[in-house]
Amino acid sequence: MSNLGFENTDTILMEERLFPPSPEVVERANIMAYMKSKGFDNYENFYRWSLEHREEFWNDMARELHWFQPWHTTFQWTEKPFFQWFVGGKFNIVYNCLDRHMQTATRQKVAYYWEADDGSSRTLTYEDLYVLTNRLAKALQNLGVKKGDRVAIYMPVTPELVAAMLATTRLGAIHTVVFGGFAASALEERINDARAKVLITVDTAHRGGKLIEYKKICDEALANTPTIEKVIVFKREGTEVPMQAGRDLFADELLQDIPNDTVVPCEEMDSEDLLYILYTSGSTGKPKGVVHVHGGYAVGVYATTKFVFDIKPDDIYWCTADIGWVTGHSYIVYGPLLNGATGVLFESTPQYPAPDRYWSVVEKYKVTIIYTSPTAIRGLMRFGEEWPAKHDLSSLRILGTVGEPINPEAWMWYRHNIGRDALPVMDTWWQTETGAILISPTVILPLKPGSATRPLPTIDAAVVDKDGNPVETGKGGFLIIRHPWPSMMRTIYGDPARYRTYWETIPDVYFAGDAATIDEIGYFRIQGRVDDVIKVAGHRLGSMEIESSLVSHPAVAEAAAIGKPDPVKGEHIKVFVILKAGNEPSEAMVQELKQHVRTNVGPIATPDEIEFVTALPKTRSGKIMRRVLRARELGQPLGDVTTLEA
Ligand code: 6R9
């Protein structure tokens, strides 16, 4: 909580224009249909009602899904802050993603168009995905995977990755997906923390034309992962990879004797049973295993997909994220499948092979809803308007962004060039911990560039000072949520004390770790992290993770990592390094240390700048004052340094 990011407010270009929604869109909006069913035609009144009728709202949402047995209590504090939702319910999220659709016309509908890195594609119907998931579930079951076991997944964005997640979940086992941009030691750390029994991966894959040696990276990690019994390897490219007898198995060999009509019934889970663990960065060096559960998470992502993206039966929805991040979990896999939507799965990157890759994908699949990151937009802006102009983007009807603040300039570019000056831009604020979108427009609200607008129904968000008192309109403060919501994380895996800190930093409210302001019409502007989390190109990293990696290098005595504003990536990483005696600063040393972090944490954590120093500012207790480093770097006043001397 040391870097009070909201000091930088005035560096953000202010944009006060409001863009009203089109009346036809409002008339047809999913959220409007629900509001009308409750007797409302105006969001303000509906939102106020929802704060008073939280349980009614969520009961209505939950009833649209299939329960093996209904819940008896919608919301319950057990031991604060360990709350529960839909208590007593029996449920499986995969039954709702797949099985339920087998009884309707959705069975033959396209679940995913897969766009591979090289531009080739594959189409899977809901039935195809159901068949693949069941066969894989059977294969996992044959290997002894059962309810409660942890299965680690380290794969590129492919239909097999989705099936691996769903097969695991079908059995009541818990998946932990590790993003392909993380290196062996990061994978190892996550596998060990989760004590995973099985690892699912591929031989090799390409992303943005670059080779990623998945199996090789796994082998390195597996040297120190005692809990892994079996490794399942999908042949993504058919390259030759070493296989360890007794441990490593090719997926095609496991699946060959499992017929297409195999059905492994969904395990009937309690609402509060674990669904997945997803590791994310916090203020310490150790990543946090954020825990989500079947019932509340499903209801949250189902409802937000339906209302924020206004999903209709004939939409082609594309979220460009990687499934290894929470955005992919909630809005590529679970949210769209729960809604029976057709999605695009994208294995590649925005600028490969050319800066019109996104727009060619939109044209190719006639995408109607695109959900991407501010970094991708800013990166593509640099290449000019001629790249989107080459393509027919007329299928689009809704645009979305997530992961970091979007500057008004990028927002306007997106709306103008991709949204033909007419389409709504959904700037969605949420976190790995929140499970689902919490602050975001829906298609019925007037929009303001750079603002995530208002909290979604039932979400009691506020901006407060460190004592929890609301700040004045327009003033910066800490973003908090006053009451739990269904898709909220339930704990940090194996570390409930760390989970408690979210609800104890400011007593009895959820502390998001972001700075924000609220304007005179109640619109939120989220400004970025106030802790030692760095958002590089929307990827969440921790200062301490990068620092621990650096100090593991024999030449480094101490290191401090900060995020520095970056015109494209939002933030980039700068590190300050004190070398051990006998080592001299040099360009070769810079390159060596960058490479060290790259192979240690992963390519996404590679520092952009390294400065050699002889001292670092510290508190009396020896904690590095990254805030001071950042302020110095940006030429800003140091602020109140004394409060940090804790
Ligand atoms: C979904 C996701 C969470 C952090 C969050 C905040 C930043 C996300 C944002 C945004 C401004 C938005 N963030 N969405 N900041 N406007 N629309 O990104 O999860 O990786 O856990 O990161 O991302 O700083 O606290 P996660």
Side-chain angles (χ1 to χ4, degrees), residues 280 326-327 401-405 427-433 512 514 526 528-529 535 538 540:
T280 191
V326 75
T327 302
T401 73
V402 61
E404 35 171 339
D427 173 4
T428 64
W429 177 86
W430 60 295
Q431 308 176 301
T432 307
E433 295 90 334
D514 277 312
I526 320 291
R529 302 290 308 193
K535 272 277 175 145
R540 182 164 160 181

Side-chain angles (χ1 to χ4, degrees), residues 212-227:
I212 306 175
E213 297 185 274
Y214 281 90
K215 178 62 167 58
K216 192 174 159 207
I217 297 169
C218 287
D219 285 337
E220 244 178 83
L222 289 163
N224 303 303
T225 53
T227 57

Side-chain angles (χ1 to χ4, degrees), residues 110-115 121-124 159 316 342-346 365:
V110 174
Y112 291 113
Y113 293 109
W114 178 51
E115 168 82 5
S121 26
R122 216 166 101 195
T123 302
L124 281 93
I316 311 290
T342 294
V344 175
L345 279 180
F346 182 64
Y365 302 103

Side-chain angles (χ1 to χ4, degrees), residues 477-502:
F478 302 110
L479 178 62
I480 57 125
I481 316 288
R482 290 202 182 94
H483 188 284
W485 58 99
S487 65
M488 173 74 207
M489 72 167 155
R490 295 304 193 265
T491 190
I492 299 294
Y493 194 69
D495 198 352
R498 206 167 174 194
Y499 166 70
R500 278 180 184 280
T501 60
Y502 286 89

Side-chain angles (χ1 to χ4, degrees), residues 23-224:
E24 303 85 75
V25 170
V26 173
E27 192 51 43
R28 291 190 62 237
N30 289 342
I31 186 134
M32 192 48 104
Y34 181 74
M35 282 165 50
K36 282 187 178 154
S37 78
K38 296 285 157 183
F40 296 99
D41 59 4
N42 143 315
Y43 188 74
E44 177 64 37
N45 295 339
F46 167 65
Y47 173 70
R48 281 213 210 102
W49 168 86
S50 77
L51 294 182
E52 302 296 317
H53 298 80
R54 188 172 278 116
E55 296 189 11
E56 181 178 335
F57 176 86
W58 289 112
N59 281 340
D60 286 346
M61 297 302 124
R63 278 194 208 104
E64 293 180 18
L65 300 176
H66 176 272
W67 297 76
F68 300 121
Q69 180 186 301
W71 59 100
H72 54 70
T73 306
T74 306
F75 171 73
Q76 177 174 301
W77 289 104
T78 38
E79 183 201 342
K80 223 170 181 175
F82 297 93
F83 50 80
Q84 304 187 322
W85 287 84
F86 308 111
V87 188
K90 291 275 184 199
F91 185 87
N92 191 310
I93 194 170
V94 176
Y95 189 95
N96 283 278
C97 288
L98 296 177
D99 301 51
R100 191 167 60 120
H101 304 313
M102 292 306 109
Q103 284 117 50
T104 70
T106 308
R107 182 180 188 132
Q108 299 310 333
K109 186 175 171 176
V110 174
Y112 291 113
Y113 293 109
W114 178 51
E115 168 82 5
D117 196 55
D118 65 2
S120 60
S121 26
R122 216 166 101 195
T123 302
L124 281 93
T125 62
Y126 271 85
E127 182 169 10
D128 295 335
L129 188 60
Y130 178 74
V131 169
L132 180 60
T133 299
N134 272 290
R135 292 175 69 214
L136 193 53
K138 188 75 192 168
L140 288 170
Q141 203 174 49
N142 290 345
L143 294 176
V145 174
K146 54 180 192 319
K147 182 176 174 180
D149 287 341
R150 274 82 55 213
V151 173
I153 303 175
Y154 185 62
M155 289 171 81
V157 176
T158 51
E160 286 71 25
L161 164 54
V162 177
M165 294 165 75
L166 300 178
T168 302
T169 305
R170 204 171 172 81
L171 297 174
I174 299 157
H175 58 71
T176 185
V177 179
V178 180
F179 174 55
F182 280 115
S185 57
L187 175 61
E188 173 193 318
E189 189 176 12
R190 287 159 176 75
I191 289 174
N192 287 337
D193 189 82
R195 284 170 286 121
K197 187 168 170 178
V198 169
L199 170 62
I200 310 179
T201 190
V202 299
D203 44 8
T204 56
H206 281 75
R207 186 161 184 266
K210 290 194 197 112
L211 175 70
I212 306 175
E213 297 185 274
Y214 281 90
K215 178 62 167 58
K216 192 174 159 207
I217 297 169
C218 287
D219 285 337
E220 244 178 83
L222 289 163
N224 303 303

